[in-house]
């Protein structure tokens, strides 16, 4: 079972204790967890020994997805992700990007879903600046929280 670590320095220390292991990092809102999320996370974990998932804070999700989101609060989203066997650590971020977290943690691999390419990952320059690699994981983007939420009765 994974662990939620909100404090960035505490997370850095936890990862330092795993020296010699390949650290994989991914991020997203992970609102209304669905099979597309699971496949992306499992694919990311398969690339290394430890998977860190950074989830957008509730305020961050509202800024990017609108006032009716997230459907699931950040604490519950973090707890759900920690329950997945492929996830080792979950943290919550409020920044517009995860560049700062990437520079602090310097994971070996930054994994993103198939809605990106290696060239279009927003944090690409940051990851390459410290010698990290970019990976694309998961199946085609056939699932989304927005589509799922739209199917719910009103």
């Amino acid at each position: 079972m994974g662990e939620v670590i909100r404090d960035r320095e505490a997370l850095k220390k936890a990862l330092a204790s795993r020296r010699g292991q390949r650290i994989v990092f991914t991020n997203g809102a992970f609102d209304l967890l669905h099979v597309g999320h699971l496949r992306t996370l499992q694919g990311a974990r398969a690339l290394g020994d430890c998977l860190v998932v950074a989830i957008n804070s509730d305020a961050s999700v509202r800024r990017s997805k609108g006032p009716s989101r997230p459907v699931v609060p950040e604490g519950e989203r973090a707890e759900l992700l920690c329950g997945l066997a492929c996830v080792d650590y979950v943290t919550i971020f409020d920044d517009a990007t995860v560049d700062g977290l990437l520079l602090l943690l310097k994971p070996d691999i930054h994994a993103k879903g198939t809605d990106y390419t290696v060239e279009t990952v927003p944090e690409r320059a940051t990851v390459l600046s410290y010698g990290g690699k970019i990976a694309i994981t998961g199946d085609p983007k056939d699932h989304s929280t927005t589509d799922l939420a739209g199917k719910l009765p009103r």
Side-chain angles (χ1 to χ4, degrees):
M1 181 182 264
E3 178 182 359
V4 177
I5 302 179
R6 291 177 181 253
D7 180 84
R8 291 177 179 202
E9 289 300 324
L11 180 56
K12 182 178 178 180
K13 185 176 179 181
L15 293 178
S17 73
R18 299 182 80 129
R19 195 169 314 268
Q21 293 185 5
R22 183 176 296 216
I23 307 297
V24 182
F25 179 99
T26 193
N27 67 284
F30 297 99
D31 195 12
L32 290 183
L33 196 61
H34 55 70
V35 72
H37 291 137
L38 179 63
R39 291 171 182 164
T40 297
L41 293 166
Q42 288 174 327
R45 180 60 165 81
L47 298 172
D49 305 302
C50 174
L51 178 61
V52 178
V53 181
I55 65 168
N56 294 79
S57 68
D58 289 348
S60 174
V61 173
R62 277 191 292 281
R63 286 192 301 270
S64 66
K65 307 274 186 186
S68 65
R69 298 279 299 278
V71 175
V72 179
E74 64 190 36
E76 293 178 19
R77 289 183 283 130
E79 186 177 343
L80 283 167
L81 288 168
C82 280
L84 299 176
C86 58
V87 175
D88 295 288
Y89 300 104
V90 175
T91 194
I92 300 168
F93 73 100
D94 193 51
D95 304 321
T97 70
V98 290
D99 288 302
L101 263 174
L102 288 166
L103 285 171
L104 176 71
L105 303 176
K106 294 183 174 67
D108 300 291
I109 300 170
H110 180 41
K112 294 294 281 182
T114 57
D115 42 340
Y116 294 94
T117 67
V118 170
E119 293 77 26
T120 64
V121 169
E123 303 84 6
R124 174 182 167 80
T126 299
V127 174
L128 296 178
S129 77
Y130 66 78
K133 293 183 175 29
I134 306 280
I136 305 301
T137 65
D139 58 0
K141 182 88 170 156
D142 294 334
H143 311 89
S144 78
T145 297
T146 300
D147 291 344
L148 188 60
K151 291 179 183 178
L152 296 174
R154 306 243 173 215

